[in-house]
Amino acid sequence: MGICTFLEHLYQLTRIPICIYSEEGTFKSSYPSEREGKEFFQAEEVKERLQLSEKNDVLFYQYQKVPAALIACKRENVWILAGPVAIGRTDAKKPVGMMEKQFQALPAVQLKDLLLTAVLILNEDSEKRYTLEMLVEKIQDRPLQIQENVLDAELRQYDSFQKNHTYAEEQAFFEHIRNGDVQYIREKYEVITPPHPMVVNNLQKNEEYMAVIEISMAARSAIEGGITSREALLMNDIYLQHLAECDTVEQIFALKKEACLEFARVVKEGKETQGENPYIEDCKKDIYSRKREKIDLQKIADDIGISKEYMLKLFKKQEGIAMTEYILRVKLEAACNMLKFSDRKIGEISDYLSFGSLNYFSRIFAKRMGMSPKEYRKLHHQPNF
């Protein structure tokens, strides 16, 4: 069978548009004949992409503005392009700006079927034999064993025009919980909640999995907003128990919203009724109990149950000074008391409070107190106390 006859039969079987270009990127013919390449491609863009791929025999191109794709196969000094096709359903609800007029005319084809069409084109009357796995490996840089999973995930998402959320969207959403923005979440939840794709074929099970993630992250955000770990994790457990009792997707969605609102409400209430953040109070107590040690900031953060970065930010916000400065003040206060009320040698006091060296202790003491430890003792020592 000649290549032209084969391509015509292939189009009739798959309904995937097929165009033929020269090696230089010039349009030659198409199936169906009324759909010329220029109708779907910018001529210069096609030419450039085909020329850049002259060392390869396969080129996969995915559009950015709409969920559509095409694949080009090099055969007998020509490029045979299968597509473009809509990866998914053209009648699904789409986000604003995703549709273009020409997209509505594209046939809806699963990604795997588009790649299988390319396999048929490459294998027609050729000694080289391709499989789907070989083609996937050729057009991607990631390991083959990952490719099949990625392909299936892309297929599920494109079929219903789903997308995953970005890190920025996630952070923006949970920032409202950290701030206790109850009213805003109540009014805008449906708009600001991060979108997610189908990761399993069962819709209710998929929403249940996503709800577990969202509720757990809401709990963590509430902790960062100032409530205690114990309270947040207890609320988290209660909502996950309720989640297991949900029978419909609508109930799951309503429970997620209720959980986010409740976490935000508790944060808001805490900010309004507590002058001191409980984490910072615990932090200061920990510093006083460890003043003899070389204090490890990460260890304190682990003890009170928040991240080191968040602890430092929260401490500076509430106390007005850096946590390291606060630690130094606590140690110097202890040093002053020992110089006043004990007969220990200055070197022993330095070691006792883990300053590292007598030279450092003397230098930092003089800088902060305006006199050396020896001078301070001479001025303030009370041996008979």
Side-chain angles (χ1 to χ4, degrees), residues 65-68 85-96 98-100 103-104 106-109 153-164 195-198:
K65 292 184 178 180
V66 294
V85 295
I87 306 298
R89 293 166 31 222
T90 56
D91 61 343
K93 291 182 179 179
K94 305 156 201 68
V96 175
M98 182 165 282
M99 279 293 288
E100 291 184 358
F103 177 69
Q104 298 178 6
L106 299 181
V109 176
E154 287 180 340
L155 176 61
R156 285 195 300 271
Q157 293 181 27
Y158 278 124
D159 276 349
S160 55
F161 291 100
Q162 299 170 354
K163 68 168 185 173
N164 213 330
H196 58 262
M198 284 283 289

Side-chain angles (χ1 to χ4, degrees), residues 120-298:
L120 291 174
I121 293 173
L122 290 165
N123 288 342
E124 169 60 18
D125 195 25
S126 172
E127 296 181 358
K128 184 181 291 187
R129 310 304 295 175
Y130 271 100
T131 64
L132 178 61
E133 291 76 16
M134 291 169 60
L135 184 60
V136 170
E137 185 178 32
K138 190 174 185 65
I139 64 176
Q140 300 284 352
D141 297 328
R142 289 164 290 183
L144 177 60
Q145 62 188 33
I146 299 177
Q147 286 309 306
E148 295 178 354
N149 296 332
V150 171
L151 191 63
D152 290 338
E154 287 180 340
L155 176 61
R156 285 195 300 271
Q157 293 181 27
Y158 278 124
D159 276 349
S160 55
F161 291 100
Q162 299 170 354
K163 68 168 185 173
N164 213 330
H165 62 264
T166 65
Y167 179 73
E169 289 173 323
E170 177 183 296
Q171 288 301 299
F173 175 73
F174 290 108
E175 183 67 19
H176 292 296
I177 295 177
R178 285 190 284 270
N179 293 336
D181 299 332
V182 179
Q183 189 62 30
Y184 187 85
I185 294 174
R186 180 178 288 112
E187 295 174 354
K188 303 288 186 179
Y189 179 81
E190 288 77 8
V191 177
I192 64 175
T193 184
H196 58 262
M198 284 283 289
V199 295
V200 294
N201 290 327
N202 184 307
L203 177 60
Q204 183 168 331
K205 185 62 67 176
N206 187 82
E207 293 307 305
E208 186 177 331
Y209 290 158
M210 296 301 156
V212 170
I213 296 172
E214 184 172 320
I215 292 171
S216 298
M217 292 189 69
R220 185 175 68 181
S221 299
I223 292 172
E224 294 173 350
I227 75 172
T228 64
S229 299
R230 183 178 181 277
E231 184 177 10
L233 295 178
L234 180 60
M235 290 173 61
N236 180 76
D237 292 345
I238 291 172
Y239 277 109
L240 292 185
Q241 290 170 8
H242 289 330
L243 179 63
E245 300 169 358
C246 290
D247 297 321
T248 66
V249 172
E250 289 74 17
Q251 290 176 355
I252 293 173
F253 187 85
L255 184 69
K256 287 195 304 177
K257 182 176 181 179
E258 178 189 332
C260 290
L261 282 169
E262 184 62 15
F263 278 119
R265 186 195 65 77
V266 174
V267 170
K268 182 175 185 291
E269 187 178 85
K271 290 180 183 294
E272 292 173 347
T273 59
Q274 294 182 4
E276 298 290 334
N277 187 290
Y279 284 119
I280 300 307
E281 294 307 299
D282 289 345
C283 188
K284 290 193 289 187
K285 290 176 184 177
D286 211 349
I287 290 171
Y288 270 100
S289 68
R290 297 172 184 270
K291 60 188 175 185
R292 291 179 51 190
E293 307 171 12
K294 184 177 181 180
I295 296 178
D296 184 341
L297 297 179
Q298 184 62 59

Side-chain angles (χ1 to χ4, degrees), residues 300-363:
I300 294 179
D302 293 341
D303 286 347
I304 65 176
I306 58 177
S307 71
K308 175 183 171 183
E309 292 73 18
Y310 181 66
M311 176 185 70
L312 295 175
K313 180 180 178 181
L314 195 61
F315 194 99
K316 179 69 178 293
K317 181 179 180 181
Q318 178 167 306
E319 298 299 315
I321 60 172
M323 190 170 169
T324 51
E325 173 64 20
Y326 183 85
I327 292 170
L328 180 59
R329 291 183 183 183
V330 169
K331 285 181 174 286
L332 287 175
E333 180 185 4
C336 287
N337 287 332
M338 294 182 73
L339 288 168
K340 285 181 183 179
F341 306 120
S342 80
D343 293 322
R344 289 196 179 191
K345 295 179 180 179
I346 294 174
E348 291 177 344
I349 294 175
S350 173
D351 291 341
Y352 182 81
L353 295 172
S354 301
F355 273 97
S357 72
L358 176 58
N359 182 53
Y360 172 72
F361 171 60
S362 298
R363 188 173 70 252

